[in-house]
C-alpha cells in the first residue's frame, strides 16, 4: 500500500521520518514535555524544544531516547505515535516501520525499541543498524567486492563500519558524539569562567564557532549564562580556539574508535579504504573541520556525504525495498526483523 512503509531515524537529538515513495516528510527534535501531575503530553518536537530550560516546576521536558535506546519506553512510544500522526499516509492501514538503531543494541534494548514502534501503531517493525543505513543513504556501492568505510556521528553515538559485498566486516559504536561536544563546551565554560549554560546554548556555540581543526580565521561569540559565584546573569566572550581545546578529549575518543576498527580490518579491505577514503555521515560530522582533522590524524582521505544528517533515514528508506536483505536478523527472535 502506497505510503504504508516508513523509515525512522531515532536520533538522540532529532527524529527523521521517511515515507517510501515520498522521501523525508518529518524532521523534529526528539523532545517531549508533559505535566508532572497528570502525565499528559503537552508538546512534542520543536514546540517542546523551545521549552527546554524554561519550564515551571509542574512541567518537565524529556528526551526519551538516549544513544538510540528507548531510555523511557512509554514516552518513546507516545512520541512516536504523535509524530506518526503527522505523517501523510493512509490511516486505513497500519504502517510497517524500519527503525534505525546503533549496532551495539542488545536484546532487551532492541525489544524496547520494537515494542515502542508496535505500541505506536505499527503493523510490523524491523530494525536496521545505523551504519548499514548510513552507507545506503550516502550512496556507497556496498555490493561490490571492495572495502568501504562509513563513520556516522549522530547526537548520541558514533557508529563506524567497514563494509564489502553488502555485509559489515568490522564495526564499532561509542557513546561519544554530537551531544558529547555540547557537554564538553558547557563543561569548559563552567570550569574556565564559572558560567553555567544550557544545552541549547552549548549547541548554538558548537554550530556557530565550534571546530575540531584550526579555523583559518579565529571567530568569537558572546555567551550568556548564569554566574556560579554570584548567581546573577553574566556574559563572556569565547573564541573558536578555546572551543577547539575544549572538545579535544571528545575528538580523541572518536579517533580511538576509528583506529580500532581500522586495526581489525583485513589488509585488502584496508588498502581499498586507504585509496577511496571514509565517508562521514550524521549531523555530528558537520562541526567545522572534521574531515580535515580526520585526514591529518589518520592519513585517511575523508569526505562528508551530501545531506549528511539525513543519510541514515534515507538509507532506511532504501532498505525497505529489500527488507529481508538489510534488516537485522538475530538468533533471539525478540530482536529485530521478525517481530509482528
Amino acid at each position: 500500500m502506497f505510503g504504508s512503509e516508513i523509515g525512522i531515524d531515532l536520533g538522540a537529538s532529532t527524529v527523521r521520518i521517511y515515507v517510501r515513495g515520498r522521501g523525508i516528510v518529518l524532521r523534529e527534535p526528539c523532545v517531549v514535555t508533559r505535566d508532572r501531575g497528570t502525565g499528559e503530553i503537552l508538546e512534542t518536537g520543536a514546540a517542546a524544544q523551545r521549552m527546554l530550560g524554561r519550564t515551571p516546576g509542574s512541567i518537565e521536558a524529556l528526551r526519551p531516547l538516549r544513544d538510540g535506546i528507548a531510555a523511557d519506553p512509554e514516552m518513546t512510544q507516545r512520541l512516536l505515535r504523535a509524530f506518526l500522526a503527522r505523517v501523510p499516509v493512509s490511516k486505513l492501514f497500519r504502517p510497517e516501520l524500519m527503525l534505525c538503531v546503533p549496532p551495539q543494541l542488545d536484546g532487551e534494548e532492541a525489544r524496547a525499541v520494537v515494542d515502542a514502534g508496535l505500541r505506536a501503531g505499527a503493523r510490523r517493525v524491523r530494525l536496521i543498524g545505523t551504519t548499514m543505513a548510513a552507507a545506503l543513504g550516502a550512496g556507497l556501492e556496498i555490493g561490490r567486492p571492495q572495502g568501504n568505510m562509513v563513520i556516522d556521528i549522530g547526537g548520541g553515538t558514533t557508529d563506524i563500519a567497514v563494509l564489502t559485498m553488502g555485509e559489515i566486516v568490522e564495526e564499532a559504536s561509542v557513546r561519544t558524539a554530537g551531544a558529547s561536544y555540547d557537554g564538553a563546551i558547557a563543561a569548559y565554560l563552567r570550569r574556565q569562567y564559572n558560567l553555567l549554560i544550557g544545552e541549547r546554548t552549548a549547541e548554538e556555540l558548537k554550530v556557530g564557532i565550534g571546530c575540531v581543526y584550526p579555523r583559518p580565521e579565529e571567530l568569537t561569540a558572546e555567551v550568556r549564562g548564569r554566574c556560579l559565584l554570584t548567581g546573577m546573569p553574566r556574559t563572556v566572550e569565547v573564541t573558536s580556539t578555546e572551543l577547539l581545546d575544549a572538545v579535544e578529549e571528545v575528538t580523541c575518543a572518536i579517533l580511538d574508535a576509528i583506529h580500532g576498527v581500522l586495526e581489525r580490518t583485513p589488509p585488502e579491505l584496508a588498502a581499498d579504504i586507504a585509496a577511496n577514503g571514509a565517508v562521514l555521515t550524521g549531523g555530528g560530522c558537520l562541526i567545522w573541520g572534521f574531515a580535515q582533522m580526520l585526514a591529518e590524524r589518520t592519513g585517511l582521505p575523508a569526505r562528508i556525504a551530501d545531506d549528511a544528517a539525513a543519510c541514515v533515514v534515507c538509507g532506511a528508506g532504501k532498505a525497505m525495498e529489500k527488507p529481508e536483505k538489510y534488516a537485522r536478523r538475530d538468533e533471539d527472535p525478540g530482536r529485530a526483523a521478525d517481530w509482528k
Side-chain angles (χ1 to χ4, degrees):
M1 176 67 185
F2 178 77
S4 64
E5 295 175 315
I6 298 174
I8 303 180
D9 176 11
L10 293 171
S13 59
T14 305
V15 173
R16 295 175 177 84
I17 296 182
Y18 181 107
V19 175
R20 186 177 178 188
R22 300 189 184 185
I24 300 174
V25 298
L26 184 142
R27 291 182 178 89
E28 287 282 347
C30 185
V31 184
V32 59
T33 57
R34 69 178 173 187
D35 186 293
R36 290 181 185 271
T38 65
E40 178 188 359
I41 299 297
L42 303 176
E43 298 287 354
T44 58
Q49 186 181 49
R50 288 192 290 269
M51 299 169 70
L52 281 174
R54 297 185 173 94
T55 58
S58 61
I59 298 173
E60 61 179 336
L62 305 168
R63 292 188 181 274
L65 289 161
R66 293 290 181 185
D67 308 328
I69 297 167
D72 187 330
E74 181 185 353
M75 284 296 106
T76 299
Q77 172 255 311
R78 295 170 75 175
L79 184 67
L80 275 175
R81 183 179 291 275
F83 285 160
L84 288 172
R86 304 184 201 175
V87 173
V89 297
S90 170
K91 306 305 180 185
L92 298 176
F93 300 89
R94 298 172 68 192
E96 293 190 11
L97 303 185
M98 180 76 78
L99 301 182
C100 305
V101 294
Q104 87 282 9
L105 214 65
D106 64 26
E108 184 177 349
E109 293 165 341
R111 279 192 198 91
V113 174
V114 170
D115 191 53
L118 293 171
R119 291 180 183 275
R123 178 170 62 88
R124 179 171 184 171
V125 177
R126 293 183 173 93
L127 303 183
I128 182 173
T130 51
T131 47
M132 179 64 76
L136 291 170
L140 295 181
E141 297 181 4
I142 60 174
R144 298 174 59 186
Q146 68 174 22
N148 294 279
M149 185 176 216
V150 62
I151 302 167
D152 181 68
I153 307 174
T157 63
T158 294
D159 303 317
I160 308 143
V162 172
L163 306 95
T164 184
M165 298 183 68
E167 300 286 343
I168 293 175
V169 178
E170 287 292 341
E171 66 181 338
S173 182
V174 291
R175 292 178 180 177
T176 304
S180 305
Y181 282 111
D182 300 341
I185 290 170
Y188 173 81
L189 290 170
R190 186 169 59 248
R191 182 175 65 250
Q192 188 72 17
Y193 295 103
N194 290 307
L195 188 73
L196 185 65
I197 64 171
E199 60 182 83
R200 288 191 66 189
T201 301
E203 184 177 12
E204 288 168 0
L205 272 176
K206 176 184 70 176
V207 173
I209 68 169
C211 56
V212 294
Y213 190 79
R215 288 179 178 267
E217 294 184 9
E218 186 167 76
L219 302 180
T220 62
E222 287 190 343
V223 189
R224 296 176 179 84
R226 177 165 60 85
C227 179
L228 291 171
L229 299 178
T230 67
M232 300 298 290
R234 182 185 176 199
T235 300
V236 301
E237 185 174 85
V238 297
T239 68
S240 56
T241 300
E242 287 183 275
L243 298 190
L244 174 63
D245 294 335
V247 302
E248 175 65 17
E249 187 175 344
V250 176
T251 300
C252 287
I254 294 174
L255 285 173
D256 286 345
I258 295 170
H259 277 127
V261 172
L262 288 171
E263 288 171 359
R264 299 191 301 272
T265 299
E268 291 79 5
L269 298 180
D272 292 339
I273 295 167
N276 301 325
V279 174
L280 299 170
T281 65
C285 77
L286 300 179
I287 186 170
W288 198 92
F290 203 97
Q292 297 96 310
M293 178 276 298
L294 182 61
E296 180 175 289
R297 296 204 190 181
T298 66
L300 189 68
R303 68 176 178 86
I304 296 175
D306 295 337
D307 199 3
C311 281
V312 169
V313 75
C314 289
K318 291 183 179 180
M320 286 187 290
E321 298 173 10
K322 296 181 179 180
E324 68 287 346
K325 180 176 181 180
Y326 296 116
R328 282 179 40 163
R329 292 184 179 276
D330 305 281
E331 292 181 4
D332 179 353
R335 292 181 67 180
D338 298 319
W339 271 54
K340 292 184 181 179

